[in-house]
Amino acid sequence: MTALTAVRGMNDILPDLTPRWRDLEAAATGLLAARGYQEIRLPLVERTALFQRSIGEVTDIVEKEMYTFTDRSGDSLSLRPEGTAGCVRAMIENGLLAQEGATQRVWYAGPMFRHERPQKGRYRQFHQIGVEAFGMPGPDVDAEQIVLSARLWETLGLSTVSLQINSLGTPQSRTAYRERLVAYFSQHERSLDEDSQRRLHTNPLRILDSKNAAMANLIAGAPSLPDSLDAASRAHFEGLCGLLDAAGVAYTHNPRLVRGLDYYTHTVFEWITDRLGAQDAVCSGGRYDGLVARLGGRETPAVGFALGMERVVALLEDAGIAPTSLAPDCYLVWAGAGLAPSALQLAEQLRNSSGLRVIQHCGGGSFKAQLRRADRSGARFALILGEQEWAAGNVQVKPLREEQAQSSVPLSDLAQWLAQQGLGAGR
Ligand code: HAM
């Protein structure tokens, strides 16, 4: 029989790694709450048409990477490859943008699915924390989100990321730029690689994103996007740069940054790293002013970004940043059938009144076998409860991580004794 393994590119996140994930979630959710962003939970499955109309029909994601299937009712559905489209759909469908001038700040976290070729930092099921703001047209909220992401790296202790920004301008200036690009690349059509020849008439901006070194010179000579921006687009971008300067957030203006999804206008940005091989984008996003209206809502400006959680967690590991320890404080070793209720009660009491992390040994066995488990659990102390100790109102406390003698502590003093070691209430 073939082994039942996980699907290629879809990973288990094992207990030794989850503390890092929780650190990332805790840092992000704290910063988001401090800025008035509220959580939204969205379905993993949406109608395929939603992604075609938002991400774009001729993007890699929609053309090649979606997990699309027909359900038993005959509807074409897809596992979400990203969160923005579903978030906009939910906003419109639930009337959250129905009022003139409505604003919303939301975030979501969860798995996304893209059938890409798996490699380090690139998976078929991966996780994003996504952040979206609706109803605010100016560069102030673009800056708010970029500064928020910069604060997140600082909070996590990550210094191996750097920021690139660019402006795609209004849909009109983007169209004008597209025409200039098509004209330029058409003159050099024979020097284009196969992918770029295909993109020339479908999505020419994506040629600029090509990683093919043989095309680097050709791309370097292409018309520059900033020259095609109209005055309003330029003012928006300069406004953003001014705010980032004032906030002390360093950035590079990369005029070749175009992003792989079609809904962007004006600001686009990417936090990149050189620590994850070919997968350099850790967090990316931008403004998408036309999308709400395109999906049937009222004309609403919007901006957002998403970070790749696997990539951030890999950077935390790479930087050697220790995760917050969730190791147990105590492991309660006990023996004697008559003590079962007392052991249960003692463990509950220590957890409830002193906030201690206590594993109560279950499954029987000798003191020696239980102590081996206590050691393996990572707990700092073993609490040893035998019938004699219990009768005398004492518990033996055995340090498992430090060279210290075992001591007999009265049960009534135990919580305080542990607090003096910096555990529980004293933590
Ligand atoms: P995206 O650039 O496609 O944008 O993805 C955002 C982030 O998700 C990337 O920067 C990367 O860290 C991570 N990511 C993407 N694909 C993979 C993969 N196969 N494996 C691991 N990590 C990956 C979006 O998804 C937009 N919805 C962002 C946005 C929100 N724009 C506006 N609002």
Side-chain angles (χ1 to χ4, degrees), residues 61 81-85 108 114 116 121-128 130-132 259 261 263-264 270-271 281-288 303-311:
I61 297 180
E82 58 103 54
T84 308
Y108 48 83
R114 296 185 193 174
E116 297 187 80
R122 188 164 75 191
Y123 309 105
R124 291 181 172 172
Q125 173 177 307
F126 61 98
H127 297 75
Q128 289 184 343
V131 177
E132 317 285 357
R259 309 272 301 120
L261 303 92
Y263 48 61
Y264 292 108
E270 245 169 38
W271 287 94
V282 175
C283 170
S284 31
R287 185 163 273 284
Y288 49 98
V303 59
F305 69 87
L307 63 82
M309 296 183 74
E310 281 81 357
R311 294 186 188 175

Side-chain angles (χ1 to χ4, degrees), residues 20-28 129 152 156 307 309 312-313:
R20 282 192 197 285
W21 284 70
R22 295 181 59 116
D23 285 347
L24 167 56
E25 285 157 2
I129 295 178
L152 178 61
L156 293 170
L307 63 82
M309 296 183 74
V312 178
V313 166

